[in-house]
mmCIF file of all heavy atoms in Angstrom:
data_model
loop_
_atom_site.group_PDB
_atom_site.id
_atom_site.type_symbol
_atom_site.label_atom_id
_atom_site.label_comp_id
_atom_site.label_asym_id
_atom_site.label_seq_id
_atom_site.Cartn_x
_atom_site.Cartn_y
_atom_site.Cartn_z
ATOM 1 N N LEU A 135 -30.537 37.616 -3.308
ATOM 2 C CA LEU A 135 -30.935 38.286 -4.555
ATOM 3 C C LEU A 135 -32.437 38.160 -4.790
ATOM 4 O O LEU A 135 -33.106 39.119 -5.246
ATOM 5 C CB LEU A 135 -30.160 37.696 -5.739
ATOM 6 C CG LEU A 135 -28.688 38.082 -5.852
ATOM 7 C CD1 LEU A 135 -27.997 37.313 -6.976
ATOM 8 C CD2 LEU A 135 -28.526 39.570 -6.076
ATOM 9 N N GLN A 136 -33.033 36.999 -4.454
ATOM 10 C CA GLN A 136 -34.471 36.853 -4.586
ATOM 11 C C GLN A 136 -35.192 37.809 -3.650
ATOM 12 O O GLN A 136 -36.214 38.431 -4.038
ATOM 13 C CB GLN A 136 -34.873 35.390 -4.319
ATOM 14 C CG GLN A 136 -34.520 34.478 -5.432
ATOM 15 C CD GLN A 136 -34.854 33.027 -5.099
ATOM 16 O OE1 GLN A 136 -34.954 32.648 -3.925
ATOM 17 N NE2 GLN A 136 -35.005 32.196 -6.128
ATOM 18 N N ILE A 137 -34.714 37.896 -2.412
ATOM 19 C CA ILE A 137 -35.336 38.810 -1.441
ATOM 20 C C ILE A 137 -35.250 40.251 -1.949
ATOM 21 O O ILE A 137 -36.222 40.995 -1.938
ATOM 22 C CB ILE A 137 -34.702 38.633 -0.055
ATOM 23 C CG1 ILE A 137 -35.080 37.258 0.532
ATOM 24 C CG2 ILE A 137 -35.123 39.744 0.876
ATOM 25 C CD1 ILE A 137 -34.296 36.899 1.784
ATOM 26 N N GLU A 138 -34.068 40.604 -2.396
ATOM 27 C CA GLU A 138 -33.872 41.950 -2.911
ATOM 28 C C GLU A 138 -34.749 42.225 -4.121
ATOM 29 O O GLU A 138 -35.355 43.308 -4.281
ATOM 30 C CB GLU A 138 -32.384 42.175 -3.278
ATOM 31 C CG GLU A 138 -32.070 43.592 -3.715
ATOM 32 C CD GLU A 138 -30.593 43.731 -4.088
ATOM 33 O OE1 GLU A 138 -29.770 42.807 -3.824
ATOM 34 O OE2 GLU A 138 -30.244 44.786 -4.642
ATOM 35 N N ASN A 139 -34.892 41.224 -4.988
ATOM 36 C CA ASN A 139 -35.728 41.343 -6.192
ATOM 37 C C ASN A 139 -37.181 41.558 -5.790
ATOM 38 O O ASN A 139 -37.878 42.442 -6.350
ATOM 39 C CB ASN A 139 -35.573 40.088 -7.045
ATOM 40 C CG ASN A 139 -36.254 40.218 -8.392
ATOM 41 O OD1 ASN A 139 -36.439 41.324 -8.871
ATOM 42 N ND2 ASN A 139 -36.657 39.104 -8.964
ATOM 43 N N ARG A 140 -37.662 40.813 -4.789
ATOM 44 C CA ARG A 140 -39.042 41.003 -4.327
ATOM 45 C C ARG A 140 -39.261 42.404 -3.757
ATOM 46 O O ARG A 140 -40.290 43.048 -3.970
ATOM 47 C CB ARG A 140 -39.401 39.922 -3.275
ATOM 48 C CG ARG A 140 -39.654 38.577 -3.896
ATOM 49 C CD ARG A 140 -40.188 37.576 -2.841
ATOM 50 N NE ARG A 140 -39.771 36.258 -3.215
ATOM 51 C CZ ARG A 140 -38.913 35.487 -2.559
ATOM 52 N NH1 ARG A 140 -38.384 35.917 -1.432
ATOM 53 N NH2 ARG A 140 -38.611 34.292 -2.997
ATOM 54 N N GLN A 141 -38.253 42.846 -2.987
ATOM 55 C CA GLN A 141 -38.361 44.184 -2.396
ATOM 56 C C GLN A 141 -38.388 45.259 -3.483
ATOM 57 O O GLN A 141 -39.196 46.199 -3.428
ATOM 58 C CB GLN A 141 -37.173 44.488 -1.462
ATOM 59 C CG GLN A 141 -37.209 43.684 -0.169
ATOM 60 C CD GLN A 141 -35.926 43.863 0.670
ATOM 61 O OE1 GLN A 141 -34.948 44.350 0.168
ATOM 62 N NE2 GLN A 141 -35.996 43.375 1.890
ATOM 63 N N LEU A 142 -37.518 45.104 -4.503
ATOM 64 C CA LEU A 142 -37.520 46.074 -5.587
ATOM 65 C C LEU A 142 -38.826 46.028 -6.354
ATOM 66 O O LEU A 142 -39.332 47.089 -6.772
ATOM 67 C CB LEU A 142 -36.343 45.813 -6.506
ATOM 68 C CG LEU A 142 -34.944 46.143 -5.956
ATOM 69 C CD1 LEU A 142 -33.852 45.725 -6.913
ATOM 70 C CD2 LEU A 142 -34.816 47.646 -5.656
ATOM 71 N N GLN A 143 -39.371 44.822 -6.585
ATOM 72 C CA GLN A 143 -40.637 44.755 -7.273
ATOM 73 C C GLN A 143 -41.744 45.409 -6.449
ATOM 74 O O GLN A 143 -42.638 46.111 -6.983
ATOM 75 C CB GLN A 143 -41.010 43.296 -7.549
ATOM 76 C CG GLN A 143 -40.194 42.694 -8.681
ATOM 77 C CD GLN A 143 -40.575 41.199 -8.922
ATOM 78 O OE1 GLN A 143 -41.319 40.621 -8.157
ATOM 79 N NE2 GLN A 143 -40.029 40.642 -9.980
ATOM 80 N N ALA A 144 -41.720 45.198 -5.141
ATOM 81 C CA ALA A 144 -42.716 45.806 -4.260
ATOM 82 C C ALA A 144 -42.586 47.338 -4.295
ATOM 83 O O ALA A 144 -43.595 48.065 -4.359
ATOM 84 C CB ALA A 144 -42.583 45.296 -2.843
ATOM 85 N N GLU A 145 -41.356 47.829 -4.243
ATOM 86 C CA GLU A 145 -41.140 49.271 -4.310
ATOM 87 C C GLU A 145 -41.596 49.809 -5.650
ATOM 88 O O GLU A 145 -42.218 50.907 -5.736
ATOM 89 C CB GLU A 145 -39.653 49.597 -4.117
ATOM 90 C CG GLU A 145 -39.153 49.445 -2.696
ATOM 91 C CD GLU A 145 -37.668 49.730 -2.551
ATOM 92 O OE1 GLU A 145 -37.119 50.500 -3.381
ATOM 93 O OE2 GLU A 145 -37.062 49.152 -1.628
ATOM 94 N N LEU A 146 -41.330 49.090 -6.710
ATOM 95 C CA LEU A 146 -41.743 49.504 -8.028
ATOM 96 C C LEU A 146 -43.268 49.607 -8.103
ATOM 97 O O LEU A 146 -43.844 50.591 -8.667
ATOM 98 C CB LEU A 146 -41.200 48.559 -9.102
ATOM 99 C CG LEU A 146 -41.538 48.867 -10.543
ATOM 100 C CD1 LEU A 146 -40.923 50.244 -10.940
ATOM 101 C CD2 LEU A 146 -41.027 47.782 -11.467
ATOM 102 N N VAL A 147 -43.912 48.586 -7.574
ATOM 103 C CA VAL A 147 -45.412 48.620 -7.574
ATOM 104 C C VAL A 147 -45.882 49.822 -6.766
ATOM 105 O O VAL A 147 -46.831 50.514 -7.161
ATOM 106 C CB VAL A 147 -45.940 47.273 -7.051
ATOM 107 C CG1 VAL A 147 -47.448 47.379 -6.751
ATOM 108 C CG2 VAL A 147 -45.663 46.146 -8.008
ATOM 109 N N ALA A 148 -45.231 50.050 -5.594
ATOM 110 C CA ALA A 148 -45.634 51.171 -4.745
ATOM 111 C C ALA A 148 -45.445 52.485 -5.482
ATOM 112 O O ALA A 148 -46.323 53.374 -5.431
ATOM 113 C CB ALA A 148 -44.860 51.138 -3.442
ATOM 114 N N VAL A 149 -44.327 52.683 -6.141
ATOM 115 C CA VAL A 149 -44.053 53.916 -6.860
ATOM 116 C C VAL A 149 -45.065 54.086 -7.995
ATOM 117 O O VAL A 149 -45.576 55.185 -8.227
ATOM 118 C CB VAL A 149 -42.583 53.956 -7.361
ATOM 119 C CG1 VAL A 149 -42.396 55.072 -8.387
ATOM 120 C CG2 VAL A 149 -41.642 54.088 -6.216
ATOM 121 N N THR A 150 -45.312 52.997 -8.702
ATOM 122 C CA THR A 150 -46.256 53.066 -9.831
ATOM 123 C C THR A 150 -47.650 53.424 -9.298
ATOM 124 O O THR A 150 -48.353 54.224 -9.912
ATOM 125 C CB THR A 150 -46.306 51.703 -10.544
ATOM 126 O OG1 THR A 150 -45.005 51.354 -10.940
ATOM 127 C CG2 THR A 150 -47.203 51.771 -11.768
ATOM 128 N N ASP A 151 -47.997 52.826 -8.156
ATOM 129 C CA ASP A 151 -49.304 53.142 -7.565
ATOM 130 C C ASP A 151 -49.378 54.624 -7.144
ATOM 131 O O ASP A 151 -50.387 55.307 -7.342
ATOM 132 C CB ASP A 151 -49.577 52.250 -6.350
ATOM 133 C CG ASP A 151 -49.897 50.829 -6.758
ATOM 134 O OD1 ASP A 151 -50.168 50.590 -7.949
ATOM 135 O OD2 ASP A 151 -49.848 49.936 -5.862
ATOM 136 N N ARG A 152 -48.317 55.162 -6.550
ATOM 137 C CA ARG A 152 -48.328 56.576 -6.144
ATOM 138 C C ARG A 152 -48.440 57.491 -7.358
ATOM 139 O O ARG A 152 -49.156 58.517 -7.332
ATOM 140 C CB ARG A 152 -47.045 56.898 -5.375
ATOM 141 C CG ARG A 152 -47.194 56.585 -3.896
ATOM 142 C CD ARG A 152 -46.015 57.070 -3.094
ATOM 143 N NE ARG A 152 -45.059 55.956 -3.099
ATOM 144 C CZ ARG A 152 -43.744 56.082 -3.016
ATOM 145 N NH1 ARG A 152 -43.184 57.266 -2.941
ATOM 146 N NH2 ARG A 152 -42.975 55.034 -3.035
ATOM 147 N N ILE A 153 -47.695 57.120 -8.387
ATOM 148 C CA ILE A 153 -47.758 57.949 -9.612
ATOM 149 C C ILE A 153 -49.157 57.887 -10.183
ATOM 150 O O ILE A 153 -49.731 58.930 -10.593
ATOM 151 C CB ILE A 153 -46.706 57.475 -10.629
ATOM 152 C CG1 ILE A 153 -45.303 57.807 -10.118
ATOM 153 C CG2 ILE A 153 -46.964 58.106 -11.986
ATOM 154 C CD1 ILE A 153 -44.215 57.282 -10.988
ATOM 155 N N ALA A 154 -49.749 56.718 -10.194
ATOM 156 C CA ALA A 154 -51.099 56.547 -10.743
ATOM 157 C C ALA A 154 -52.081 57.317 -9.837
ATOM 158 O O ALA A 154 -53.071 57.933 -10.362
ATOM 159 C CB ALA A 154 -51.494 55.131 -10.833
ATOM 160 N N ALA A 155 -51.857 57.328 -8.524
ATOM 161 C CA ALA A 155 -52.784 58.022 -7.623
ATOM 162 C C ALA A 155 -52.692 59.524 -7.807
ATOM 163 O O ALA A 155 -53.684 60.235 -7.612
ATOM 164 C CB ALA A 155 -52.440 57.666 -6.180
ATOM 165 N N ARG A 156 -51.600 60.091 -8.178
ATOM 166 C CA ARG A 156 -51.456 61.520 -8.375
ATOM 167 C C ARG A 156 -51.999 61.939 -9.728
ATOM 168 O O ARG A 156 -52.087 63.118 -10.050
ATOM 169 C CB ARG A 156 -49.999 61.925 -8.266
ATOM 170 C CG ARG A 156 -49.490 61.845 -6.849
ATOM 171 C CD ARG A 156 -48.146 62.381 -6.768
ATOM 172 N NE ARG A 156 -47.637 62.277 -5.392
ATOM 173 C CZ ARG A 156 -46.423 62.547 -5.044
ATOM 174 N NH1 ARG A 156 -45.538 62.929 -5.959
ATOM 175 N NH2 ARG A 156 -46.070 62.439 -3.794
ATOM 176 N N GLY A 157 -52.224 60.964 -10.537
ATOM 177 C CA GLY A 157 -52.799 61.260 -11.838
ATOM 178 C C GLY A 157 -51.781 61.671 -12.857
ATOM 179 O O GLY A 157 -52.087 62.286 -13.859
ATOM 180 N N ILE A 158 -50.518 61.368 -12.636
ATOM 181 C CA ILE A 158 -49.502 61.693 -13.621
ATOM 182 C C ILE A 158 -49.593 60.712 -14.745
ATOM 183 O O ILE A 158 -49.597 59.484 -14.519
ATOM 184 C CB ILE A 158 -48.108 61.709 -12.969
ATOM 185 C CG1 ILE A 158 -48.063 62.764 -11.870
ATOM 186 C CG2 ILE A 158 -47.040 61.950 -14.010
ATOM 187 C CD1 ILE A 158 -46.781 62.801 -11.122
ATOM 188 N N ASN A 159 -49.561 61.191 -15.946
ATOM 189 C CA ASN A 159 -49.646 60.346 -17.098
ATOM 190 C C ASN A 159 -48.231 59.893 -17.446
ATOM 191 O O ASN A 159 -47.349 60.716 -17.676
ATOM 192 C CB ASN A 159 -50.292 61.130 -18.281
ATOM 193 C CG ASN A 159 -50.564 60.209 -19.418
ATOM 194 O OD1 ASN A 159 -50.353 59.011 -19.335
ATOM 195 N ND2 ASN A 159 -51.099 60.782 -20.495
ATOM 196 N N LEU A 160 -48.056 58.611 -17.497
ATOM 197 C CA LEU A 160 -46.760 58.062 -17.837
ATOM 198 C C LEU A 160 -46.589 57.872 -19.347
ATOM 199 O O LEU A 160 -45.568 57.362 -19.769
ATOM 200 C CB LEU A 160 -46.528 56.741 -17.101
ATOM 201 C CG LEU A 160 -46.391 56.793 -15.591
ATOM 202 C CD1 LEU A 160 -46.230 55.431 -15.020
ATOM 203 C CD2 LEU A 160 -45.209 57.675 -15.201
ATOM 204 N N ASP A 161 -47.559 58.254 -20.061
ATOM 205 C CA ASP A 161 -47.482 58.050 -21.515
ATOM 206 C C ASP A 161 -46.518 59.069 -22.123
ATOM 207 O O ASP A 161 -46.696 60.263 -21.952
ATOM 208 C CB ASP A 161 -48.894 58.233 -22.097
ATOM 209 C CG ASP A 161 -48.983 57.813 -23.528
ATOM 210 O OD1 ASP A 161 -47.964 57.236 -24.042
ATOM 211 O OD2 ASP A 161 -50.028 58.005 -24.157
ATOM 212 N N PRO A 162 -45.480 58.600 -22.789
ATOM 213 C CA PRO A 162 -44.513 59.533 -23.352
ATOM 214 C C PRO A 162 -45.041 60.326 -24.519
ATOM 215 O O PRO A 162 -44.420 61.292 -24.982
ATOM 216 C CB PRO A 162 -43.356 58.625 -23.790
ATOM 217 C CG PRO A 162 -43.869 57.258 -23.838
ATOM 218 C CD PRO A 162 -45.094 57.219 -22.978
ATOM 219 N N SER A 163 -46.196 59.967 -25.048
ATOM 220 C CA SER A 163 -46.759 60.725 -26.163
ATOM 221 C C SER A 163 -47.360 62.074 -25.771
ATOM 222 O O SER A 163 -47.628 62.894 -26.603
ATOM 223 C CB SER A 163 -47.789 59.850 -26.905
ATOM 224 O OG SER A 163 -48.844 59.559 -26.004
ATOM 225 N N VAL A 164 -47.559 62.231 -24.458
ATOM 226 C CA VAL A 164 -48.119 63.514 -23.973
ATOM 227 C C VAL A 164 -46.938 64.486 -23.837
ATOM 228 O O VAL A 164 -46.088 64.335 -22.987
ATOM 229 C CB VAL A 164 -48.850 63.334 -22.662
ATOM 230 C CG1 VAL A 164 -49.388 64.671 -22.167
ATOM 231 C CG2 VAL A 164 -49.968 62.305 -22.798
ATOM 232 N N PRO A 165 -46.870 65.582 -24.675
ATOM 233 C CA PRO A 165 -45.722 66.457 -24.648
ATOM 234 C C PRO A 165 -45.748 67.513 -23.585
ATOM 235 O O PRO A 165 -44.740 68.110 -23.265
ATOM 236 C CB PRO A 165 -45.760 67.114 -26.046
ATOM 237 C CG PRO A 165 -47.163 67.000 -26.495
ATOM 238 C CD PRO A 165 -47.765 65.823 -25.783
#
Side-chain angles (χ1 to χ4, degrees):
L135 287 174
Q136 286 176 337
I137 291 169
E138 184 180 350
N139 188 25
R140 284 188 209 113
Q141 289 172 349
L142 289 174
Q143 284 179 353
E145 286 178 26
L146 181 62
V147 168
V149 167
T150 305
D151 288 346
R152 275 187 270 151
I153 291 174
R156 288 187 181 174
I158 299 176
N159 189 3
L160 293 178
D161 190 7
S163 61
V164 178

